[in-house]
Structures are given as C-alpha cells and as structure tokens.
Coordinates of all heavy atoms in Angstrom, one line a residue:
M200 N -215.5 -60.4 125.8 CA -216.0 -59.7 124.6 C -215.9 -60.7 123.5 O -214.6 -61.2 123.2 CB -215.2 -58.5 124.3 CG -215.5 -57.7 123.0 SD -217.1 -57.1 123.1 CE -217.2 -56.1 121.5
T201 N -216.9 -60.9 122.6 CA -216.8 -61.8 121.5 C -216.1 -61.1 120.2 O -216.5 -60.0 119.9 CB -218.3 -62.4 121.1 OG1 -218.8 -62.7 122.3 CG2 -218.0 -63.6 120.2
V202 N -215.2 -61.7 119.6 CA -214.4 -61.2 118.6 C -215.2 -61.2 117.3 O -215.8 -62.4 116.9 CB -213.0 -61.9 118.4 CG1 -212.3 -61.3 117.1 CG2 -212.3 -61.8 119.7
K203 N -215.3 -60.2 116.6 CA -216.0 -60.2 115.2 C -215.0 -60.9 114.1 O -213.8 -60.8 114.3 CB -216.1 -58.7 114.8 CG -217.5 -58.1 115.4 CD -217.5 -56.6 114.8 CE -217.9 -56.3 113.4 NZ -218.3 -55.0 113.2
L204 N -215.8 -61.5 113.2 CA -215.0 -62.1 112.2 C -214.7 -61.1 111.1 O -215.4 -60.1 111.0 CB -216.1 -63.1 111.4 CG -216.4 -64.4 112.3 CD1 -217.4 -65.3 111.4 CD2 -215.2 -65.3 112.7
T205 N -213.5 -61.4 110.4 CA -213.2 -60.4 109.4 C -213.9 -60.7 108.1 O -214.6 -61.9 108.0 CB -211.7 -60.6 109.0 OG1 -211.5 -61.9 108.6 CG2 -210.7 -60.5 110.3
D206 N -213.9 -59.9 107.1 CA -214.8 -60.1 105.9 C -214.2 -61.3 105.3 O -214.8 -62.0 104.7 CB -214.5 -58.8 105.0 CG -215.2 -57.6 105.6 OD1 -216.1 -57.8 106.5 OD2 -215.0 -56.4 105.1
L207 N -212.9 -61.6 105.2 CA -212.2 -62.8 104.7 C -212.8 -63.9 105.3 O -213.2 -64.9 104.6 CB -210.8 -62.6 104.6 CG -210.0 -63.7 103.9 CD1 -210.4 -63.7 102.5 CD2 -208.6 -63.7 104.2
E208 N -212.8 -64.0 106.6 CA -213.3 -65.1 107.3 C -214.8 -65.4 107.2 O -215.1 -66.6 106.9 CB -213.1 -64.8 109.0 CG -211.7 -65.0 109.3 CD -211.6 -64.4 110.8 OE1 -212.2 -63.5 111.3 OE2 -210.6 -65.2 111.5
I209 N -215.5 -64.3 106.9 CA -216.9 -64.6 106.6 C -217.1 -65.0 105.2 O -217.8 -66.0 104.9 CB -217.7 -63.2 106.7 CG1 -217.7 -62.7 108.1 CG2 -219.2 -63.3 106.0 CD1 -218.2 -61.3 108.4
S210 N -216.4 -64.4 104.2 CA -216.5 -64.9 102.9 C -216.0 -66.4 102.7 O -216.7 -67.3 101.9 CB -215.7 -64.0 101.9 OG -214.4 -64.1 102.2
N211 N -215.1 -66.7 103.4 CA -214.7 -68.2 103.4 C -215.7 -69.1 104.0 O -215.8 -70.2 103.5 CB -213.3 -68.4 104.2 CG -212.0 -67.9 103.4 OD1 -212.2 -67.8 102.1 ND2 -211.0 -67.5 104.0
A212 N -216.2 -68.7 105.1 CA -217.2 -69.5 105.8 C -218.5 -69.7 105.0 O -219.1 -70.7 104.9 CB -217.7 -68.8 107.3
L213 N -218.8 -68.6 104.3 CA -220.1 -68.8 103.5 C -219.9 -69.9 102.3 O -220.8 -70.4 101.9 CB -220.3 -67.4 102.8 CG -221.1 -66.4 103.6 CD1 -221.2 -65.0 102.9 CD2 -222.5 -66.9 103.9
K214 N -218.6 -70.2 102.0 CA -218.4 -71.1 100.9 C -219.1 -72.6 101.4 O -219.5 -73.3 100.6 CB -216.9 -71.3 100.6 CG -216.4 -70.0 99.9 CD -214.9 -70.2 99.7 CE -214.3 -68.9 99.2 NZ -212.8 -68.8 99.2
D215 N -218.9 -72.8 102.7 CA -219.4 -74.0 103.3 C -220.7 -74.0 103.9 O -221.3 -75.0 104.5 CB -218.5 -74.5 104.6 CG -217.1 -74.7 103.9 OD1 -216.9 -75.1 102.7 OD2 -216.1 -74.3 104.6
L216 N -221.4 -72.8 103.7 CA -222.7 -72.6 104.3 C -223.8 -72.5 103.2 O -224.3 -71.3 102.8 CB -222.9 -71.4 105.2 CG -222.0 -71.5 106.5 CD1 -221.9 -70.1 107.2 CD2 -222.7 -72.5 107.4
D217 N -224.2 -73.6 102.6 CA -225.1 -73.6 101.5 C -226.5 -73.1 101.9 O -227.0 -73.4 103.0 CB -225.3 -75.1 101.0 CG -224.2 -75.6 100.2 OD1 -223.2 -74.8 99.9 OD2 -224.1 -76.9 99.9
G218 N -227.1 -72.2 101.1 CA -228.3 -71.5 101.4 C -228.3 -70.4 102.3 O -229.2 -69.6 102.3
W219 N -227.1 -70.1 102.9 CA -226.9 -68.9 103.7 C -226.3 -67.7 102.9 O -225.6 -67.9 102.0 CB -226.0 -69.2 104.9 CG -226.6 -70.1 105.9 CD1 -226.4 -71.4 105.8 CD2 -227.4 -69.8 107.0 NE1 -227.1 -72.0 107.0 CE2 -227.7 -71.0 107.7 CE3 -227.8 -68.6 107.7 CZ2 -228.4 -71.1 108.9 CZ3 -228.6 -68.8 108.8 CH2 -229.0 -69.9 109.4
A220 N -226.9 -66.5 103.3 CA -226.3 -65.4 102.6 C -226.1 -64.2 103.6 O -226.6 -64.4 104.6 CB -227.3 -65.0 101.5
L221 N -225.2 -63.3 103.2 CA -225.0 -62.2 104.1 C -226.0 -61.1 103.7 O -226.2 -60.9 102.5 CB -223.5 -61.7 103.8 CG -222.9 -60.8 104.8 CD1 -222.8 -61.5 106.2 CD2 -221.4 -60.5 104.4
K222 N -226.8 -60.8 104.6 CA -227.7 -59.7 104.5 C -227.8 -58.7 105.7 O -227.9 -59.3 106.9 CB -229.1 -60.3 104.3 CG -230.2 -59.4 104.0 CD -231.6 -60.2 103.8 CE -232.8 -59.3 103.5 NZ -234.0 -60.1 103.6
D223 N -227.5 -57.5 105.5 CA -227.5 -56.5 106.5 C -226.6 -57.0 107.7 O -226.7 -56.9 108.9 CB -228.9 -56.3 107.3 CG -229.9 -55.9 106.2 OD1 -229.6 -55.2 105.2 OD2 -231.1 -56.3 106.4
E224 N -225.4 -57.5 107.2 CA -224.2 -57.9 108.1 C -224.6 -59.1 109.0 O -224.1 -59.3 110.0 CB -223.8 -56.7 109.0 CG -223.0 -55.6 108.3 CD -222.3 -54.5 109.1 OE1 -221.9 -55.0 110.1 OE2 -222.6 -53.4 108.7
K225 N -225.7 -59.8 108.5 CA -226.1 -61.0 109.4 C -226.1 -62.2 108.4 O -226.3 -62.1 107.1 CB -227.6 -60.8 109.8 CG -227.6 -59.7 110.8 CD -229.1 -59.3 111.4 CE -229.1 -58.2 112.2 NZ -230.5 -57.9 112.7
L226 N -225.9 -63.4 108.9 CA -226.1 -64.6 108.1 C -227.6 -64.7 108.1 O -228.4 -64.9 108.9 CB -225.5 -65.8 108.9 CG -224.0 -65.9 108.8 CD1 -223.5 -67.2 109.5 CD2 -223.4 -65.7 107.3
H227 N -228.1 -65.1 106.7 CA -229.6 -65.0 106.5 C -230.0 -66.2 105.7 O -229.2 -66.6 104.7 CB -229.9 -63.8 105.8 CG -231.5 -63.6 105.6 ND1 -232.2 -64.2 104.4 CD2 -232.3 -63.0 106.3 CE1 -233.4 -63.8 104.6 NE2 -233.6 -63.1 105.7
R228 N -231.0 -66.9 106.1 CA -231.5 -68.1 105.4 C -232.9 -68.3 105.6 O -233.4 -68.0 106.8 CB -230.7 -69.3 105.7 CG -231.0 -70.7 104.9 CD -230.1 -71.8 105.1 NE -230.6 -72.9 104.4 CZ -230.1 -74.1 104.4 NH1 -229.2 -74.5 105.5 NH2 -230.5 -75.2 103.7
V229 N -233.6 -68.8 104.6 CA -235.0 -69.0 104.6 C -235.3 -70.7 104.5 O -234.6 -71.1 103.6 CB -235.9 -68.3 103.5 CG1 -237.4 -68.7 103.7 CG2 -235.8 -66.9 103.7
F230 N -236.1 -71.3 105.5 CA -236.4 -72.7 105.5 C -237.7 -72.9 105.1 O -238.7 -72.3 105.8 CB -236.0 -73.2 106.9 CG -234.5 -73.0 107.2 CD1 -234.1 -71.8 107.8 CD2 -233.6 -74.0 107.0 CE1 -232.8 -71.6 108.1 CE2 -232.2 -73.7 107.3 CZ -231.7 -72.6 107.8
E231 N -238.1 -73.8 104.3 CA -239.5 -74.2 103.9 C -239.7 -75.6 104.4 O -238.8 -76.5 104.2 CB -239.6 -74.2 102.5 CG -239.4 -72.8 101.7 CD -240.6 -71.6 102.1 OE1 -241.5 -72.0 102.8 OE2 -240.3 -70.6 101.9
F232 N -241.0 -75.8 104.8 CA -241.3 -77.1 105.3 C -242.6 -77.7 104.8 O -243.3 -76.9 104.1 CB -241.5 -77.1 106.9 CG -240.2 -76.6 107.6 CD1 -239.8 -75.5 107.8 CD2 -239.4 -77.7 108.0 CE1 -238.6 -75.0 108.5 CE2 -238.1 -77.4 108.5 CZ -237.7 -76.1 108.8
D233 N -243.1 -78.9 105.0 CA -244.3 -79.4 104.3 C -245.5 -78.9 105.0 O -246.5 -78.8 104.4 CB -244.2 -80.9 104.5 CG -243.2 -81.6 103.5 OD1 -242.8 -80.8 102.6 OD2 -242.7 -82.6 103.9
D234 N -245.3 -78.5 106.2 CA -246.4 -78.1 107.0 C -245.9 -77.2 108.2 O -244.8 -77.2 108.6 CB -247.3 -79.3 107.6 CG -246.5 -80.3 108.2 OD1 -245.8 -79.9 109.0 OD2 -246.8 -81.5 107.9
F235 N -246.9 -76.7 109.0 CA -246.7 -75.8 110.0 C -245.9 -76.6 111.3 O -245.0 -76.1 111.9 CB -247.9 -75.0 110.6 CG -247.6 -74.4 111.8 CD1 -246.9 -73.1 112.0 CD2 -248.2 -74.8 113.1 CE1 -246.7 -72.5 113.3 CE2 -248.0 -74.2 114.3 CZ -247.2 -73.0 114.3
I236 N -246.4 -77.7 111.5 CA -245.9 -78.5 112.6 C -244.5 -78.9 112.4 O -243.7 -78.7 113.4 CB -246.8 -79.8 112.9 CG1 -248.2 -79.5 113.4 CG2 -246.0 -80.8 113.9 CD1 -248.3 -78.7 114.8
S237 N -244.1 -79.2 111.1 CA -242.7 -79.5 110.8 C -241.9 -78.1 111.0 O -240.8 -78.3 111.5 CB -242.6 -79.9 109.3 OG -243.4 -81.1 109.3
A238 N -242.4 -77.2 110.6 CA -241.6 -76.0 110.8 C -241.4 -75.6 112.4 O -240.3 -75.3 112.8 CB -242.4 -74.7 110.2
F239 N -242.5 -75.8 113.0 CA -242.4 -75.5 114.5 C -241.4 -76.4 115.2 O -240.8 -76.2 116.1 CB -243.7 -75.5 115.2 CG -243.7 -74.8 116.5 CD1 -243.8 -73.4 116.6 CD2 -243.7 -75.5 117.7 CE1 -243.9 -72.8 117.8 CE2 -243.6 -74.9 118.9 CZ -243.7 -73.5 119.1
A240 N -241.6 -77.7 114.7 CA -240.7 -78.8 115.4 C -239.2 -78.5 115.1 O -238.4 -78.6 116.0 CB -241.0 -80.2 114.8
F241 N -238.9 -78.0 113.9 CA -237.6 -77.5 113.6 C -237.1 -76.4 114.6 O -236.0 -76.4 115.1 CB -237.5 -77.1 112.0 CG -236.4 -76.2 111.8 CD1 -235.2 -76.9 111.4 CD2 -236.5 -74.9 111.6 CE1 -234.0 -76.0 111.1 CE2 -235.3 -74.1 111.2 CZ -234.1 -74.8 110.9
M242 N -238.1 -75.4 114.7 CA -237.7 -74.3 115.6 C -237.5 -74.8 117.1 O -236.6 -74.3 117.7 CB -238.9 -73.2 115.6 CG -239.0 -72.6 114.2 SD -240.4 -71.4 114.3 CE -239.6 -70.0 115.1
T243 N -238.2 -75.8 117.5 CA -237.9 -76.3 118.9 C -236.6 -77.0 118.9 O -235.9 -76.7 119.9 CB -239.1 -77.4 119.1 OG1 -240.3 -76.7 119.0 CG2 -239.0 -78.0 120.5
R244 N -236.2 -77.8 117.9 CA -235.0 -78.4 117.9 C -233.8 -77.3 117.9 O -232.8 -77.4 118.7 CB -234.7 -79.3 116.7 CG -235.7 -80.4 116.7 CD -235.3 -81.6 115.6 NE -235.2 -81.0 114.2 CZ -236.2 -81.0 113.5 NH1 -237.5 -81.2 113.9 NH2 -236.0 -80.5 112.2
V245 N -234.0 -76.3 117.1 CA -233.0 -75.2 117.0 C -233.0 -74.4 118.3 O -231.8 -74.2 118.8 CB -233.2 -74.2 115.8 CG1 -232.3 -73.1 115.9 CG2 -233.1 -74.9 114.6
A246 N -234.1 -74.3 118.9 CA -234.0 -73.5 120.2 C -233.3 -74.3 121.4 O -232.5 -73.7 122.1 CB -235.5 -73.3 120.8
I247 N -233.4 -75.6 121.4 CA -232.8 -76.4 122.3 C -231.1 -76.2 122.0 O -230.3 -76.1 122.9 CB -233.1 -77.9 122.3 CG1 -234.6 -78.0 122.8 CG2 -232.1 -78.8 123.0 CD1 -235.3 -79.3 122.4
R248 N -230.8 -76.4 120.7 CA -229.4 -76.2 120.3 C -228.9 -74.8 120.8 O -227.8 -74.7 121.3 CB -229.3 -76.4 118.8 CG -229.5 -77.7 118.2 CD -228.3 -78.4 118.3 NE -228.3 -79.7 117.4 CZ -227.3 -80.1 116.8 NH1 -225.9 -79.4 116.9 NH2 -227.2 -81.2 115.9
A249 N -229.6 -73.8 120.5 CA -229.3 -72.4 120.7 C -229.0 -72.2 122.3 O -228.0 -71.6 122.8 CB -230.3 -71.5 120.2
E250 N -229.9 -72.8 123.1 CA -229.8 -72.6 124.6 C -228.5 -73.3 125.1 O -227.8 -72.7 125.9 CB -231.1 -73.2 125.1 CG -231.3 -72.8 126.6 CD -231.5 -71.2 126.7 OE1 -231.7 -70.5 125.8 OE2 -231.3 -70.9 127.9
K251 N -228.2 -74.5 124.4 CA -227.1 -75.2 124.8 C -225.7 -74.3 124.7 O -224.8 -74.5 125.4 CB -226.9 -76.5 124.0 CG -227.8 -77.6 124.6 CD -227.7 -79.0 123.9 CE -228.5 -80.1 124.5 NZ -228.6 -81.2 123.6
I252 N -225.7 -73.7 123.4 CA -224.5 -72.9 123.2 C -224.7 -71.4 123.6 O -223.7 -70.6 123.4 CB -224.0 -73.1 121.7 CG1 -225.1 -72.4 120.8 CG2 -223.9 -74.6 121.4 CD1 -224.7 -72.4 119.4
D253 N -225.7 -71.2 124.3 CA -226.0 -69.7 124.7 C -225.7 -68.8 123.7 O -225.2 -67.7 123.7 CB -225.1 -69.4 125.9 CG -225.4 -68.1 126.5 OD1 -226.7 -67.7 126.4 OD2 -224.6 -67.3 127.0
H254 N -226.3 -69.2 122.4 CA -226.3 -68.2 121.2 C -227.7 -68.4 120.5 O -227.9 -69.5 120.2 CB -225.1 -68.6 120.3 CG -224.8 -67.4 119.2 ND1 -224.2 -66.2 119.9 CD2 -224.9 -67.4 118.1 CE1 -224.0 -65.5 118.8 NE2 -224.4 -66.1 117.7
H255 N -228.3 -67.3 120.3 CA -229.7 -67.4 119.8 C -230.0 -66.7 118.5 O -229.4 -65.7 118.2 CB -230.7 -66.8 120.9 CG -230.4 -67.5 122.3 ND1 -229.4 -67.2 123.1 CD2 -231.0 -68.6 122.9 CE1 -229.3 -67.9 124.3 NE2 -230.4 -68.9 124.1
P256 N -230.8 -67.3 117.7 CA -231.2 -66.7 116.5 C -232.2 -65.6 116.5 O -232.9 -65.4 117.5 CB -231.8 -67.9 115.7 CG -232.5 -68.7 116.6 CD -231.6 -68.6 117.9
E257 N -232.1 -64.7 115.4 CA -233.2 -63.7 115.2 C -234.0 -64.4 114.2 O -233.5 -64.8 113.2 CB -232.7 -62.4 114.7 CG -231.9 -61.7 115.8 CD -231.1 -60.4 115.2 OE1 -231.5 -60.1 114.1 OE2 -230.4 -59.8 115.9
W258 N -235.4 -64.7 114.5 CA -236.1 -65.5 113.6 C -237.4 -65.2 113.6 O -238.0 -64.6 114.5 CB -235.9 -67.0 113.9 CG -236.1 -67.6 115.1 CD1 -236.5 -66.9 116.3 CD2 -235.9 -68.8 115.6 NE1 -236.6 -67.7 117.3 CE2 -236.3 -69.0 116.9 CE3 -235.5 -70.0 114.8 CZ2 -236.1 -70.2 117.5 CZ3 -235.4 -71.2 115.6 CH2 -235.8 -71.4 116.9
S259 N -238.2 -65.6 112.5 CA -239.7 -65.4 112.4 C -240.3 -66.7 111.7 O -239.6 -67.3 110.9 CB -240.1 -64.2 111.5 OG -239.6 -64.3 110.1
N260 N -241.5 -67.0 111.9 CA -242.1 -68.2 111.3 C -243.6 -67.7 110.7 O -244.5 -67.0 111.4 CB -242.5 -69.2 112.4 CG -243.5 -70.2 112.0 OD1 -244.6 -70.3 112.7 ND2 -243.2 -70.9 110.9
V261 N -243.7 -67.9 109.4 CA -245.1 -67.7 108.9 C -245.5 -69.2 108.3 O -245.0 -69.6 107.3 CB -245.1 -66.7 107.9 CG1 -246.5 -66.5 107.2 CG2 -244.7 -65.3 108.5
Y262 N -246.4 -69.8 109.0 CA -247.0 -71.1 108.5 C -245.9 -72.1 108.2 O -245.3 -72.5 109.1 CB -247.8 -70.8 107.1 CG -248.7 -72.0 106.7 CD1 -249.1 -72.9 107.7 CD2 -248.9 -72.1 105.3 CE1 -250.0 -74.0 107.1 CE2 -249.6 -73.3 104.9 CZ -250.1 -74.1 105.8 OH -250.9 -75.2 105.4
K263 N -245.5 -72.4 106.9 CA -244.6 -73.4 106.7 C -243.2 -72.9 106.5 O -242.1 -73.5 106.2 CB -244.8 -74.1 105.2 CG -246.3 -74.7 105.3 CD -246.5 -75.3 103.8 CE -248.0 -76.0 103.8 NZ -248.1 -76.5 102.5
T264 N -243.0 -71.6 106.7 CA -241.6 -70.8 106.4 C -241.0 -70.3 107.7 O -241.7 -69.8 108.5 CB -241.9 -69.7 105.4 OG1 -242.5 -70.2 104.2 CG2 -240.6 -69.1 105.1
V265 N -239.8 -70.6 107.9 CA -239.0 -70.0 108.9 C -237.9 -69.2 108.4 O -237.1 -69.7 107.5 CB -238.3 -71.2 109.8 CG1 -237.4 -70.6 110.9 CG2 -239.4 -72.1 110.5
T266 N -237.7 -67.9 108.9 CA -236.7 -67.1 108.3 C -235.7 -66.8 109.4 O -236.2 -66.5 110.6 CB -237.2 -65.7 107.8 OG1 -238.2 -66.1 106.7 CG2 -236.2 -64.8 107.4
I267 N -234.5 -67.1 109.3 CA -233.4 -66.9 110.3 C -232.3 -66.0 109.9 O -231.9 -66.0 108.8 CB -232.8 -68.2 110.7 CG1 -233.9 -69.3 111.1 CG2 -231.8 -68.3 111.7 CD1 -233.4 -70.6 111.6
A268 N -232.0 -65.1 110.9 CA -230.8 -64.2 110.8 C -230.0 -64.5 112.0 O -230.4 -64.5 113.1 CB -231.3 -62.8 110.7
L269 N -228.7 -64.7 111.7 CA -227.7 -64.7 112.9 C -226.8 -63.6 112.8 O -226.2 -63.2 111.9 CB -226.9 -66.2 112.5 CG -227.7 -67.3 112.3 CD1 -226.9 -68.5 112.0 CD2 -228.6 -67.6 113.5
T270 N -226.5 -63.2 114.0 CA -225.6 -62.2 114.5 C -225.2 -62.3 115.9 O -225.9 -63.0 116.7 CB -226.1 -60.7 114.1 OG1 -225.1 -59.7 114.4 CG2 -227.2 -60.3 115.0
T271 N -224.1 -61.7 116.3 CA -223.7 -61.7 117.7 C -223.8 -60.4 118.2 O -223.1 -59.4 118.0 CB -222.2 -62.2 117.7 OG1 -222.1 -63.4 117.2 CG2 -221.8 -62.4 119.3
H272 N -224.9 -60.3 119.2 CA -225.1 -58.9 119.7 C -224.0 -58.3 120.4 O -223.7 -57.2 120.3 CB -226.5 -59.0 120.5 CG -227.5 -59.7 119.8 ND1 -228.1 -60.8 120.3 CD2 -228.1 -59.3 118.5 CE1 -229.1 -61.1 119.4 NE2 -229.2 -60.2 118.3
D273 N -223.3 -59.3 121.2 CA -222.2 -58.9 122.1 C -221.0 -58.4 121.3 O -220.2 -57.6 121.7 CB -221.7 -60.1 122.9 CG -222.8 -60.5 123.9 OD1 -223.6 -59.7 124.2 OD2 -222.7 -61.7 124.3
A274 N -220.9 -58.8 120.0 CA -219.8 -58.3 119.1 C -220.2 -57.3 118.2 O -219.4 -56.7 117.4 CB -219.3 -59.5 118.3
G275 N -221.5 -57.1 118.1 CA -222.0 -56.0 117.0 C -221.6 -56.5 115.5 O -221.4 -55.7 114.7
G276 N -221.8 -57.7 115.4 CA -221.6 -58.3 114.0 C -221.5 -59.8 114.2 O -221.8 -60.4 115.1
L277 N -220.9 -60.3 113.1 CA -220.8 -61.9 113.0 C -219.5 -62.4 113.8 O -218.4 -61.8 113.8 CB -220.6 -62.3 111.6 CG -221.9 -62.1 110.8 CD1 -221.6 -62.5 109.3 CD2 -223.1 -63.0 111.3
S278 N -219.8 -63.5 114.4 CA -218.6 -64.2 115.2 C -218.6 -65.6 115.0 O -219.5 -66.1 114.3 CB -218.7 -63.9 116.8 OG -219.9 -64.6 117.2
A279 N -217.6 -66.3 115.6 CA -217.6 -67.7 115.3 C -218.8 -68.4 115.9 O -219.3 -69.6 115.5 CB -216.4 -68.4 116.1
K280 N -219.4 -67.8 116.9 CA -220.7 -68.4 117.6 C -221.8 -68.5 116.3 O -222.6 -69.5 116.5 CB -221.1 -67.7 118.7 CG -220.2 -67.7 119.8 CD -220.9 -67.0 121.1 CE -220.0 -67.3 122.3 NZ -220.6 -66.7 123.6
D281 N -221.9 -67.5 115.4 CA -222.8 -67.5 114.5 C -222.7 -68.6 113.5 O -223.6 -69.3 113.0 CB -222.8 -66.3 113.8 CG -223.3 -65.0 114.7 OD1 -224.4 -65.1 115.1 OD2 -222.5 -64.1 114.8
L282 N -221.4 -69.0 113.2 CA -221.0 -70.0 112.3 C -221.3 -71.5 113.0 O -221.9 -72.3 112.3 CB -219.5 -70.1 112.1 CG -219.0 -68.7 111.3 CD1 -217.5 -69.0 110.9 CD2 -219.8 -68.4 110.1
A283 N -221.1 -71.5 114.2 CA -221.5 -72.8 115.0 C -222.9 -72.9 115.1 O -223.4 -74.0 114.8 CB -221.0 -72.7 116.4
L284 N -223.7 -71.9 115.3 CA -225.2 -72.1 115.2 C -225.7 -72.4 113.9 O -226.6 -73.2 113.7 CB -225.8 -70.7 115.8 CG -227.5 -70.8 115.9 CD1 -227.9 -72.0 116.8 CD2 -227.9 -69.4 116.7
A285 N -225.1 -71.7 112.8 CA -225.5 -72.1 111.4 C -225.2 -73.5 111.1 O -226.1 -74.1 110.6 CB -224.7 -71.1 110.5
E286 N -224.1 -74.1 111.7 CA -223.8 -75.5 111.4 C -224.8 -76.3 112.1 O -225.5 -77.4 111.5 CB -222.5 -75.8 111.9 CG -221.9 -77.1 111.6 CD -222.0 -77.5 110.1 OE1 -221.6 -76.6 109.3 OE2 -222.4 -78.6 109.6
A287 N -225.3 -75.9 113.4 CA -226.3 -76.7 114.1 C -227.6 -76.7 113.4 O -228.3 -77.7 113.4 CB -226.3 -76.2 115.6
I288 N -227.9 -75.5 112.9 CA -229.2 -75.3 112.1 C -229.2 -76.3 110.9 O -230.2 -76.9 110.6 CB -229.5 -73.9 111.9 CG1 -229.7 -73.0 113.1 CG2 -230.6 -73.7 110.9 CD1 -229.7 -71.6 112.9
K289 N -228.1 -76.2 110.3 CA -228.0 -77.0 108.9 C -228.3 -78.5 109.4 O -228.9 -79.3 108.7 CB -226.5 -76.9 108.5 CG -226.3 -77.7 107.3 CD -224.7 -77.4 106.9 CE -224.2 -78.5 105.9 NZ -222.8 -78.0 105.4
I290 N -227.7 -79.0 110.4 CA -227.9 -80.4 110.9 C -229.4 -80.7 111.3 O -229.9 -81.6 110.8 CB -227.1 -80.7 112.1 CG1 -225.6 -80.7 111.8 CG2 -227.5 -82.1 112.8 CD1 -224.6 -80.7 112.9
E291 N -230.0 -79.7 111.9 CA -231.6 -79.9 112.2 C -232.4 -79.8 111.0 O -233.5 -80.4 111.0 CB -231.8 -78.8 113.3 CG -231.2 -79.0 114.7 CD -231.5 -80.4 115.3 OE1 -232.3 -81.1 114.9 OE2 -230.5 -80.8 116.1
Y292 N -232.0 -79.1 110.1 CA -232.7 -79.0 108.9 C -232.6 -80.2 107.9 O -233.4 -80.5 107.1 CB -232.4 -77.6 108.1 CG -233.4 -77.3 107.0 CD1 -234.8 -77.4 107.0 CD2 -232.9 -77.1 105.6 CE1 -235.6 -76.9 105.9 CE2 -233.7 -76.9 104.6 CZ -235.0 -76.7 104.7 OH -235.8 -76.5 103.7
G293 N -231.3 -80.7 108.0 CA -230.9 -81.8 107.1 C -230.1 -81.5 106.0 O -229.5 -82.3 105.2
R294 N -229.9 -80.0 105.7 CA -228.9 -79.8 104.6 C -228.7 -78.3 104.7 O -229.5 -77.5 105.4 CB -229.6 -80.0 103.3 CG -231.0 -79.4 102.9 CD -231.5 -79.5 101.5 NE -232.8 -79.2 101.3 CZ -233.1 -78.0 101.0 NH1 -232.2 -77.1 100.9 NH2 -234.4 -77.7 100.9
Ligands
H2B776 C1 -225.6 -63.4 128.8 C2 -225.6 -64.2 127.6 O1 -224.5 -65.2 127.4 C3 -225.7 -63.4 126.3 O2 -226.8 -62.5 126.5 C4 -225.9 -64.3 125.0 C5 -227.2 -64.8 124.8 N1 -227.5 -65.1 123.4 C6 -226.8 -64.4 122.3 N2 -227.2 -64.7 121.1 C7 -226.7 -63.8 120.2 N3 -227.2 -63.9 118.9 N4 -225.9 -62.8 120.3 C8 -225.4 -62.6 121.7 O3 -224.5 -61.7 121.7 C9 -225.9 -63.4 122.7 N5 -225.5 -63.2 123.9

C-alpha cells in the first residue's frame, strides 16, 4: 500500500516544484510548447519515464498545450511517487 503524504509534506514539496499547484488534491501543471510535435514529443518522453517508475500521469493535450495532474490511485491521494514523477517531468520540460 502506498503511503499518502501529509499536508505538511505536500506544502514543503510544492516549494521546490515551480509551476505546480495543488488542485483537487492532485499536483497540477500546464505546459506550453511551440508546436504540436514538441508537445507530443514531451508526452512521449514523459510516458517512457512514467513506465520506468510504474507511475502514470492523468493528462490531456490540446494542440501546443499539455495539462498534467498527478495523484496516486493506490493511495487515494498524493504520495512520494507523485513527487518523483513531477521531478522527472520537470527534467523533460527543462524547468
Ligand atoms: C499495478 C501497477 O503497479 C499500478 O496499477 C500502478 C500503475 N501506475 C500508477 N499510477 C498512478 N498515478 N497511481 C497508481 O496508483 C498507479 N499504480
């Protein structure tokens, strides 16, 4: 069973997660790209990262925009796995 983060742990983590916000108890961020292909390439890179850590985003793509929400379904809330995926996403986006 994956352990949920406490509110304090979440607020501390958000300090290092530029661009991310807590929305409906999920980590939420919107990513903008120069074109659709760049957006989709980003999604491909993130998909590979997600598969490697067996932790997957809830996301949508409209043209140059990718919207991502992170939560741990097994925990019914945020866990350390969401922070790890957010960090991997930050690397793939560049900031
Ligand atoms: C069996 C497999 O490990 C689980 O279903 C994984 C897959 N990816 C996952 N991703 C997310 N976001 N939450 C989960 O609880 C989760 N569980």
Side-chain angles (χ1 to χ4, degrees):
M200 176 69 177
T201 312
V202 178
K203 275 175 75 167
L204 295 173
T205 65
D206 290 347
L207 184 61
E208 287 169 325
I209 293 168
S210 60
N211 284 338
L213 278 171
K214 291 173 188 165
D215 299 325
L216 289 172
D217 288 350
W219 293 88
L221 201 56
K222 184 178 175 188
D223 305 328
E224 291 187 45
K225 299 177 182 179
L226 288 180
H227 187 271
R228 185 175 177 185
V229 178
F230 300 85
E231 299 290 351
F232 298 86
D233 292 338
D234 50 45
F235 170 72
I236 290 301
S237 302
F239 197 83
F241 165 76
M242 293 180 79
T243 302
R244 297 194 303 275
V245 171
I247 292 164
R248 292 271 201 145
E250 197 61 16
K251 275 182 185 165
I252 63 173
D253 189 33
H254 197 70
H255 304 82
E257 296 177 2
W258 53 1
S259 61
N260 161 242
V261 177
Y262 190 32
K263 302 178 185 180
T264 303
V265 177
T266 301
I267 298 182
L269 302 179
T270 186
T271 302
H272 308 121
D273 296 343
L277 289 177
S278 74
K280 291 185 173 185
D281 297 303
L282 303 183
L284 185 51
E286 190 56 41
I288 290 168
K289 175 177 167 182
I290 292 166
E291 293 306 337
Y292 187 56
R294 58 181 169 83

